[in-house]
């Protein structure tokens, strides 16, 4: 059946000159893709996994690779490996199985030292600021319970005078190796030691001050500098303000998510601000200066005579400062809304009637030659649309 097998280099997708690292990398990709635990019930994936594992088992061994390069599969048939070709044992593949299957299915690499320095966990919290504070920046203070090294045991967790013992289960390595029979042979996995939880130490006499944790918790006030231009939901990272590290590892970080209150007038989109501003009927008709509300305060703006409602005005550089450079700002877009007067006095009505009479026919009674449609509108006949 050797002639039915694919070339091993083709199986792994590497050249015949591939080095050990290239072989291992290629096998890692295929093993993750076709492993039975990742493809339950898929017979084709199972066959591809076994094929790739057999290829790597042969090519990763210098002597077997030399034989294969010289004689092909016949070299292993002659050695009595069986009708299915080369027989291989997963126990000899511990390193790569630890890297691949440990990461995928809960184990760990045999070379990874779990009792080495580990960075502490990050802490997350939120801070609420006003719309204006988010635009221009601010400084605020929060209070959080934070852990610090126990001053009594110096972080060891053991009572002074009773140092921790080396874990007998893992020999102080913090990891234990398990070998078990799988569908394809003996598989080796590396896991965190259950007795010492990866520390490599067993504490018989726990520190009375910290109950053996090695840390004490206290409330601390932390100053938070909120940068100008920050948006709702963005976070500020304070380095090494999180949980303490393990075995001498550095502290984690503090991540502060900013929650911005809504503004009754302004809405923000990116670095631009949007709002609407009412103007009077006479201001719209006659034009002139109007006062527009901006995040910086009132802004005097000249509107043209005959300004229509929903006219949009762009105030360049009156928006939100950018996070990279607070002197560079977005724009402010203002929609002008003409206010129609209500509850007119008799005198105001008389003035408007005079204006109406002086203006000629009403808007809806004009005879328009630039409109279209064959229908009566305001007592006048309209022409049909031209096609």
């Amino acid at each position: 059946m050797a002639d039915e097998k694919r070339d091993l280099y083709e199986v792994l997708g590497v050249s015949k000159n591939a080095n050990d690292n290239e072989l291992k990398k290629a096998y890692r990709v295929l093993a993750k893709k076709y492993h039975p635990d990742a493809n339950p019930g898929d017979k084709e994936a199972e066959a591809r996994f076994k094929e790739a594992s057999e290829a790597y088992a042969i090519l990763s061994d210098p002597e077997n690779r030399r034989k294969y390069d010289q004689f092909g599969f016949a070299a292993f048939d002659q050695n009595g490996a069986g009708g299915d070709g080369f027989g291989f044992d997963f126990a000899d593949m511990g390193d790569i199985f630890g890297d691949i299957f440990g990461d995928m299915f809960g184990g760990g690499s045999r070379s990874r030292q779990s009792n080495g320095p580990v960075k502490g966990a990050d802490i997350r919290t939120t801070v609420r600021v006003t719309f204006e504070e988010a635009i221009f920046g601010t400084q605020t203070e929060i209070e959080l319970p934070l852990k610090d090294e126990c001053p009594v045991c110096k972080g060891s967790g053991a009572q002074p005078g009773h140092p921790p013992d080396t874990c007998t289960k893992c020999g102080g390595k913090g990891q234990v190796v398990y070998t078990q029979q799988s569908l394809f042979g003996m598989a080796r996995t590396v896991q965190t030691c259950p007795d010492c939880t990866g520390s490599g130490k067993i504490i018989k006499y726990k520190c009375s001050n910290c109950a053996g944790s090695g840390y004490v918790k206290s409330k601390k006030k932390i100053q938070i500098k909120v940068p100008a231009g920050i948006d709702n939901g963005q976070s500020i990272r304070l380095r090494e303000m999180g949980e303490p590290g393990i075995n001498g590892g550095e502290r984690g970080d503090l991540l502060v998510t900013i929650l911005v209150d809504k503004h009754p007038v302004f809405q923000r989109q990116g670095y631009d601000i949007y709002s609407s501003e009412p103007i009077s009927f006479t201001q719209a008709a006659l034009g002139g200066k109007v006062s527009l509300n901006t995040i910086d305060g009132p802004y005097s703006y000249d509107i043209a005579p005959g300004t229509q409602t929903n006219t949009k005005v762009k105030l360049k550089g009156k928006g939100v400062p950018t996070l990279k450079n607070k002197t560079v700002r977005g724009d402010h877009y203002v929609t002008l809304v003409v206010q129609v007067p209500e509850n007119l006095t008799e005198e105001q009505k008389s003035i408007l009637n005079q204006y109406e009479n002086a203006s000629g026919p009403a808007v809806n009674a004009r005879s328009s030659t630039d409109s279209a449609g064959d229908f009566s509108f305001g007592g006048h006949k309209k022409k049909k649309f031209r096609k």
Side-chain angles (χ1 to χ4, degrees), residues 324-374:
K324 292 183 178 180
N325 185 352
K326 65 180 181 180
T327 62
V328 178
R329 298 176 60 173
D331 303 320
H332 186 162
Y333 295 89
V334 183
T335 300
L336 302 177
V337 180
V338 179
Q339 300 294 294
V340 178
E342 300 177 5
N343 303 321
L344 296 173
T345 65
E346 291 301 322
E347 181 182 2
Q348 291 170 331
K349 291 179 182 179
S350 175
I351 293 173
L352 286 177
N353 281 326
Q354 293 177 30
Y355 164 76
E356 182 72 11
N357 293 332
S359 300
V363 173
N364 66 345
R366 292 174 184 162
S367 177
S368 175
T369 57
D370 57 356
S371 298
D374 188 10

Side-chain angles (χ1 to χ4, degrees), residues 146-168:
L146 295 178
K147 291 180 181 178
D148 283 310
E149 184 181 272
C150 175
V152 175
C153 66
K154 307 302 181 184
S156 70
Q159 190 69 19
H162 300 277
D165 296 329
T166 300
C167 177
T168 55

Side-chain angles (χ1 to χ4, degrees), residues 5-19:
K5 292 179 176 290
R6 288 199 297 158
D7 178 76
L8 298 184
Y9 294 100
E10 179 186 340
V11 169
L12 295 180
V14 297
S15 70
K16 291 190 175 182
N17 297 323
N19 57 34

Side-chain angles (χ1 to χ4, degrees), residues 149-217:
E149 184 181 272
C150 175
V152 175
C153 66
K154 307 302 181 184
S156 70
Q159 190 69 19
H162 300 277
D165 296 329
T166 300
C167 177
T168 55
K169 188 174 185 66
C170 65
K173 295 180 179 179
Q175 295 176 322
V176 289
V177 179
Y178 295 98
T179 303
Q180 59 184 3
Q181 181 71 35
S182 73
L183 182 63
F184 305 110
M186 297 300 295
R188 181 180 298 169
T189 58
V190 184
Q191 297 180 0
T192 300
C193 177
D195 288 8
C196 65
T197 63
S199 67
K201 303 290 184 181
I202 298 294
I203 300 174
K204 290 184 178 180
Y205 302 95
K206 295 181 179 180
C207 173
S208 58
N209 188 56
C210 65
S213 68
Y215 304 100
V216 290
K217 186 178 290 188

Side-chain angles (χ1 to χ4, degrees), residues 6 12 18 37 41 60 71 78 80-81 89 92 115 149 160 182 264 288 296 315-316 321 331 353 374 381 386:
R6 288 199 297 158
L12 295 180
D37 288 351
S60 61
F71 302 107
Q78 293 168 1
D89 188 345
D92 294 330
N115 61 344
E149 184 181 272
S182 73
D296 297 309
L315 307 180
K316 189 172 179 60
D331 303 320
N353 281 326
D374 188 10
K381 206 76 169 178
R386 292 182 179 178

